[in-house]
Amino acid sequence: MGLDAFTRWVLTLLLVKNVKWIILLSFCFPKDMKSTKQSMLLCCKHYVSESCNHGALDSIERAGRLDGETVIVNKFQDWAYNRIGYTLVSYIVHDITGNIIYSPLQQTLQSMVEAADKAINLELHCGAHPRLGVVYDIVFHLLAQASLEEAGWFARKAAADIGNKFQGCSPTHGQTLGDIIQRELGYYHPNFMGNQWSGWDMLEVLPEKPDVGPNMVYGARGIVMIGALPWVSMYNIPIVSTDISATRRIARMVSATRGRLPTVQTLGLFHGKDSTEIACQRLEPNMFGAEQVQYQVEMLAAQEGLGVEKGYFTDFSPDMIIEKYL
């Protein structure tokens, strides 16, 4: 059957058990979904514990480019932390009743996770940023007309796909639950030289069974946390000092736990040999702008006698991401 220039047929064969019928289901949608204004878009950010092994990163990014319907709109590589973050975007397809059928992002994500799993051994990894696994955080965000419910559907699907295929531990989470899981697993405590996370020295058996996968942890792979959240903005502020204690004090004073900025989570970290920085996670970007976070850090740093550089974003805004995708 020939396909015209405007229409692609997705053919699904369903073999009904104990029945010798083969049912052919067809769904029709525009070939260039990216140009369709009514498309619902899905964004996925995932972080990989590597930034220096170019061979590993090349294999991960080749896997991410296999399907042109999913676009890597941003790659944030941080050598000091020895990690890299990818932002993927694609469209969502529904059936005529409104139920989710598919997104090309599903297979792209799984291919990238598989490439990372083959190329990276967590037990050999060391970096200045907390992590729980080779691929340790996969978060789905809604874009355009997509809903948080739809992002959650894809998070659960990704957890099932990854947990079952790689037999890895895949807890699913929202922001609060994710933070609790991280604290229980010692995510925030460096285990090497007081400021590095090296190898895997956490629990080999999880205290609770994850949503998907075994509760035994394979140290070379670690744990992947998967969830869906409203848009979260990452903003890091360099501190011109190696006094990590002072940086962490400032971070605690800014964060939601001390009440100054209730929707901002912070972490004080070493960043290279000559500086530290405060990594800020703005859970509700419209409530507190980056300039407000910057001001609070500068004010508190001045009290400590420390200099502060202008902060930087680790990703684009939702509008910019949509623009780059289209």
Side-chain angles (χ1 to χ4, degrees):
M1 178 177 64
L3 303 182
D4 60 44
F6 302 98
T7 303
R8 179 173 66 181
W9 290 91
V10 178
L11 304 178
T12 304
L13 294 177
L14 174 62
L15 180 60
V16 182
K17 188 176 180 181
N18 298 325
V19 180
K20 295 181 180 179
W21 296 346
I22 295 179
I23 303 172
L24 184 63
L25 303 176
S26 301
F27 300 95
C28 177
F29 53 92
K31 184 175 182 180
D32 186 6
M33 288 293 290
K34 292 199 293 185
S35 66
T36 305
K37 292 184 179 179
Q38 299 304 315
S39 293
M40 295 185 180
L41 300 181
L42 183 68
C43 174
C44 174
K45 297 184 182 184
H46 68 102
Y47 297 90
V48 178
S49 298
E50 184 57 68
S51 68
C52 304
N53 185 334
H54 298 295
L57 300 183
D58 286 346
S59 66
I60 294 168
E61 288 161 31
R62 280 197 304 273
R65 291 191 294 265
L66 290 176
D67 186 345
E69 299 296 308
T70 300
V71 178
I72 301 176
V73 297
N74 188 48
K75 176 178 75 171
F76 185 78
Q77 192 168 356
D78 195 309
W79 287 271
Y81 290 155
N82 197 12
R83 74 168 191 158
I84 189 167
Y86 295 100
T87 303
L88 313 178
V89 178
S90 194
Y91 54 81
I92 303 171
V93 179
H94 298 78
D95 64 18
I96 58 174
T97 65
N99 293 318
I100 301 169
I101 299 173
Y102 167 75
S103 172
L105 199 152
Q106 296 169 253
Q107 184 55 52
T108 299
L109 175 63
Q110 186 167 318
S111 296
M112 294 181 76
V113 171
E114 183 174 9
D117 183 66
K118 290 179 179 178
I120 300 169
N121 183 338
L122 187 66
E123 291 179 326
L124 304 178
H125 176 270
C126 187
H129 194 285
R131 78 286 188 278
L132 290 173
V134 169
V135 180
Y136 62 92
D137 204 7
I138 299 174
V139 183
F140 290 86
H141 298 289
L142 52 154
L143 286 177
Q145 301 180 52
S147 67
L148 187 58
E149 180 181 356
E150 287 164 320
W153 187 93
F154 281 103
R156 290 188 293 273
K157 183 70 168 60
D161 291 343
I162 293 169
N164 292 329
K165 180 167 184 176
F166 304 107
Q167 286 300 296
C169 303
S170 301
T172 55
H173 68 91
Q175 186 64 44
T176 303
L177 178 58
D179 188 57
I180 292 172
I181 293 171
Q182 289 172 338
R183 290 185 185 281
E184 288 181 351
L185 294 175
Y187 175 82
Y188 298 103
H189 300 289
N191 64 347
F192 181 62
M193 297 178 61
N195 56 51
Q196 301 282 312
W197 282 259
S198 180
W200 176 269
D201 72 339
M202 301 181 197
L203 299 174
E204 294 184 0
V205 180
L206 297 179
E208 296 184 18
K209 193 176 187 312
D211 297 283
V212 181
N215 62 347
M216 295 289 295
V217 181
Y218 179 43
R221 182 177 288 155
I223 296 169
V224 56
M225 293 181 59
I226 304 173
L229 295 171
W231 190 260
V232 174
S233 175
M234 309 298 293
Y235 183 72
N236 295 348
I237 304 175
I239 307 295
V240 190
S241 171
T242 57
D243 187 346
I244 188 64
S245 296
T247 298
R248 288 171 178 164
R249 278 197 301 274
I250 296 168
R252 287 193 295 269
M253 292 299 294
V254 171
S255 73
T257 56
R258 295 298 178 93
R260 284 181 179 259
L261 299 176
T263 60
V264 178
Q265 294 183 336
T266 59
L267 195 60
L269 299 167
F270 269 101
H271 196 253
K273 294 181 180 180
D274 303 320
S275 66
T276 54
E277 76 173 15
I278 298 177
C280 305
Q281 195 169 226
R282 296 186 302 134
L283 305 181
E284 296 183 31
N286 293 331
M287 180 173 289
F288 295 107
E291 65 282 353
Q292 292 172 280
V293 181
Q294 181 83 29
Y295 172 77
Q296 289 289 335
V297 169
E298 290 177 353
M299 181 180 65
L300 292 167
Q303 296 173 9
E304 298 275 357
L306 303 179
V308 177
E309 295 181 356
K310 178 67 176 175
Y312 61 93
F313 294 98
T314 66
D315 207 344
F316 301 111
S317 68
D319 288 343
M320 291 178 67
I321 285 175
I322 293 172
E323 183 179 338
K324 287 181 174 293
Y325 172 73
L326 296 176

